[in-house]
């Protein structure tokens, strides 16, 4: 990837950009705030910049910003411009939103690092279900049977004594081996105690070995089609990947609502059918897009939270939500495709990750394996932010974990203008501390439709930094901004007026939204603090914080510290791993070494139950403040806030 120097005037700061970066995205991530109220759609015309010199590609519908004067003066819209080389750009006064920030000479662009995950091409495949090529001789005398010929040939070539046979493998065995011309391919499942013969095919099919890895999320299900053959040269391991909303979302946003639905007549079947339907449809698409044959999918590895794993297998999850929170199982059995209605060859094994407790499930175990933290030195904190927040603190030979019920706020749930991280969701917000005018950037650069979780964190941090929100989470009534108003008795701040939005309605952040987010962030922080205290270390002893989860990489760690969601640690210690659970499932599909490691990790984790935990409740209450009631935990944030808003802070 080529990198170029972009010099911004009049502040005269030079940043390094990657080729092809959108100029508005780049400027905002560098801390340079430019007016933008249509989310980067190109319609408001407020992100005007002057190209002094350099190579910027303009991809807008209109040339420059439209007017003849703009064309003559090389005025471009930042949201429609892409970096192709070094450039010098002037920010006209009318496009500057945060003059304070512009005056701050930030020397380096702080980028959230992407956590290095293990490259799949370094792994030698050793899957739990595999194919072997076998030479076979048909029975030549009376008293012998076809199955004995096959088993005898396998034992002779692979030297394995204990082999059991699935009925399905027998059903077409006689004609299969007679069509085979002496060569058959057998599919075997290594159960750890014996080998199971699942399938027999004529000829050599060993080049066609595939598996599916699944992340069964409460909101989204992600699937990957993986080539598990041994390759002479580096080739793509992941053939296709895609995700879709879990069809269960029409039965509730969170696991508790889903469990409650299973109590209704036919509820368990409805939820089981819904997750299986989504899985089948994802698999159909993966297979269709790759052009492989369905019968060459040899097994599935699925990672889900404890409730999702129960529902996927069609098992009653009722007691997960009733004290003492007892799941039906922690180590799920291996099932077959026909057991649960998966549209693959009926004997196809389906492996689910082991869970740790009712609220720390196989997705977290998979995430730890996927991140490699089980093998890492030092003290590391793994945070998965989703519908629920799960935290794992890992030390040299110990792991503590906990689940915090953060509520759906981080996924846009329970927020007046909240939405999931989809096109049109506001993901970045900047607010001028003098005029209180906001700049917004949306996913897909289209007109704003709502605010997603990362946008909410960004927006609330900006509202706090500009003095719109007080430390108690209430909106400051004394600022005299027309964007602060009362609707039906609730105070709110208008992020976008209806004329600039996709829906035509105003997009606001209300005091009720603030309350929901305060609870969510307080639960996450309190959970981290309790684990750190239980382990006997201090927050400063944490070497690395890995943020997992679908929207994790959109969170600005500094903004998350401003609101007290993450502990105050140098931003260099934070990295984002994306869907660690899916990566863990992929590793386990490729090699049984990782599957065995997942079992070890699940056994190694000590679950700290936070419900009814006094220390957690105390920490939760202490964290219901911005950033926290204990300012000594956030010294730099407090300094920044004092510099930013001075006496507006109380
Ligand atoms: Fe660029 Fe609106 S025209 S943000």
């Amino acid at each position: 990837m080529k990198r170029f120097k972009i010099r911004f005037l009049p502040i005269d700061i030079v940043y390094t950009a990657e080729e092809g970066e959108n100029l508005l995205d780049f400027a905002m991530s560098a801390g340079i705030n430019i007016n933008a109220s249509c989310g980067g759609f190109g319609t408001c015309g407020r992100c005007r910049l002057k190209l002094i010199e350099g190579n910027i590609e303009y991809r807008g519908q209109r040339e420059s910003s439209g007017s003849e004067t703009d064309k003559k003066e090389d005025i471009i819209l930042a949201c429609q411009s892409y970096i192709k080389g070094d450039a010098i750009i002037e920010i006209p006064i009318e496009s500057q939103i945060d003059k304070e920030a512009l005056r701050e000479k930030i020397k380096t662009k702080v980028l959230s690092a992407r956590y290095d995950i293990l490259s799949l091409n370094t792994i030698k495949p050793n899957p739990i279900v595999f194919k072997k090529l076998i030479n076979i001789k048909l029975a030549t005398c009376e008293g012998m049977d076809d199955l004995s010929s096959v088993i005898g040939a396998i034992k002779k070539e692979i030297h394995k004594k204990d082999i059991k046979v699935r009925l399905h493998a027998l059903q077409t065995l006689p004609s299969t081996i007679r069509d085979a011309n002496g060569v058959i391919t057998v599919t075997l499942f290594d159960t750890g105690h014996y080998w199971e013969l699942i399938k027999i095919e004529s000829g050599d099919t060993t080049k066609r070995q595939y598996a599916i890895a699944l992340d069964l999320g409460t909101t989204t299900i992600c699937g990957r089609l993986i080539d598990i053959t041994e390759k002479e040269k580096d080739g793509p391991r992941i053939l296709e990947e895609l995700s879709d909303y879990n069809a269960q979302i029409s039965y509730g946003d969170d696991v508790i609502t889903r469990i409650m639905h299973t109590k209704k007549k036919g509820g368990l079947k409805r939820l089981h059918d819904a997750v299986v339907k989504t899985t089948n449809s994802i698999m159909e698409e993966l297979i269709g897009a790759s052009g492989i044959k369905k019968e060459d999918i040899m097994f599935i590895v699925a990672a889900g939270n404890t409730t999702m794993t129960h529902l996927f297998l069609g098992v009653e999850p009722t007691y997960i939500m009733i004290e003492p929170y007892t799941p039906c199982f922690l180590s799920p059995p291996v099932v077959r495709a026909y057991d649960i209605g998966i549209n693959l060859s009926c004997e196809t094994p389906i492996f689910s990750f082991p869970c740790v407790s009712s609220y720390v499930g196989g997705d977290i175990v998979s995430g730890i394996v996927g991140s490699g933290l089980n093998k890492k030195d030092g003290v590391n904190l793994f945070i998965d932010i989703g519908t629920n927040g799960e935290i794992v603190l890992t030390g040299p030979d110990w792991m503590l974990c906990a689940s915090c019920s953060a509520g759906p706020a981080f996924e846009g749930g329970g927020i007046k203008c909240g939405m999931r991280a989809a096109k049109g969701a506001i993901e970045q917000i900047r607010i001028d501390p003098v005029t209180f005018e906001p700049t917004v950037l949306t996913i897909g650069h289209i007109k704003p439709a709502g605010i997603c979780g990362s946008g909410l964190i960004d927006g609330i941090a900006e509202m706090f930094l500009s003095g719109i929100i007080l430390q108690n989470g209430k909106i400051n009534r004394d600022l005299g901004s027309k964007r602060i108003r009362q609707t039906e008795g609730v105070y709110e701040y208008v992020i976008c007026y209806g004329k600039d939005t996709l829906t035509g309605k105003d997009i606001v952040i209300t005091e009720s939204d603030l309350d929901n987010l305060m609870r969510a962030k307080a639960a996450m922080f309190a959970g981290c603090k309790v684990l750190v205290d239980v382990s006997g270390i201090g927050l400063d002893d944490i070497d690395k914080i890995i943020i997992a989860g679908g929207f994790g990489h959109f969170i600005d760690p500094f903004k998350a510290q401003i609101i007290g969601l993450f502990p105050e640690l140098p931003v260099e210690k934070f990295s984002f791993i994306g869907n660690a659970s899916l990566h863990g499932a992929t590793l386990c599909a490729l090699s049984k070494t990782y599957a065995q490691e997942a079992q070890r990790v699940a056994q190694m984790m000590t679950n700290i139950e936070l419900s009814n935990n006094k220390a957690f409740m105390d920490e939760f209450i202490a964290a219901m403040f911005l950033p926290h009631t204990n300012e000594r935990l956030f010294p730099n944030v407090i300094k920044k806030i004092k510099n930013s808003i001075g006496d507006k802070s109380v």
Side-chain angles (χ1 to χ4, degrees), residues 421-435:
K423 271 193 169 180
I426 297 174
E427 59 169 347
Q428 281 190 58
I429 300 175
R430 299 288 176 272
I431 298 174
D432 185 324
V434 177
T435 64

Side-chain angles (χ1 to χ4, degrees), residues 393-461:
L393 188 67
T394 68
D397 50 11
W398 50 267
M399 288 187 196
L400 296 176
C401 62
S403 168
C404 323
S405 73
F410 292 130
E411 298 206 330
I415 303 297
K416 186 171 179 185
C417 298
M419 65 180 283
R420 296 201 170 93
K423 271 193 169 180
I426 297 174
E427 59 169 347
Q428 281 190 58
I429 300 175
R430 299 288 176 272
I431 298 174
D432 185 324
V434 177
T435 64
F436 309 112
E437 285 301 299
T439 295
V440 301
L441 198 60
T442 60
I443 298 175
H445 286 200
I446 64 169
K447 279 190 169 191
I451 312 171
C452 65
S454 57
L456 200 64
I457 291 168
D458 215 45
I460 290 178

Side-chain angles (χ1 to χ4, degrees), residues 24 35-47 62 77-80:
L24 182 62
N35 259 323
S37 54
C38 69
F41 188 47
T43 53
C44 71
R46 296 181 70 197
C47 59
R62 300 171 292 168
L77 294 178
C79 68
Q80 307 297 304

Side-chain angles (χ1 to χ4, degrees), residues 16-83:
T16 307
E18 283 182 0
E19 185 176 24
E21 272 195 87
N22 176 276
L23 190 53
L24 182 62
D25 283 359
F26 172 69
M28 284 181 79
S29 64
I32 294 179
N33 301 328
I34 296 167
N35 259 323
S37 54
C38 69
F41 188 47
T43 53
C44 71
R46 296 181 70 197
C47 59
R48 297 164 77 251
L49 300 179
K50 186 174 169 68
L51 179 63
I52 306 287
E53 63 176 59
N55 193 356
I56 297 289
E57 183 190 342
Y58 192 73
R59 293 190 199 156
Q61 297 294 322
R62 300 171 292 168
E63 278 187 31
S64 77
S65 66
S67 79
E68 285 306 315
T69 325
D70 277 1
K71 275 186 225 166
K72 244 184 258 156
E73 293 185 356
D74 282 326
I75 296 285
I76 53 173
L77 294 178
C79 68
Q80 307 297 304
S81 306
Y82 295 81
I83 294 161

Side-chain angles (χ1 to χ4, degrees), residues 616-629:
F616 174 74
M617 281 317 295
D618 292 345
E619 290 293 348
F620 176 76
I621 291 163
M624 282 292 286
F625 210 62
L626 292 174
H628 196 276
T629 48

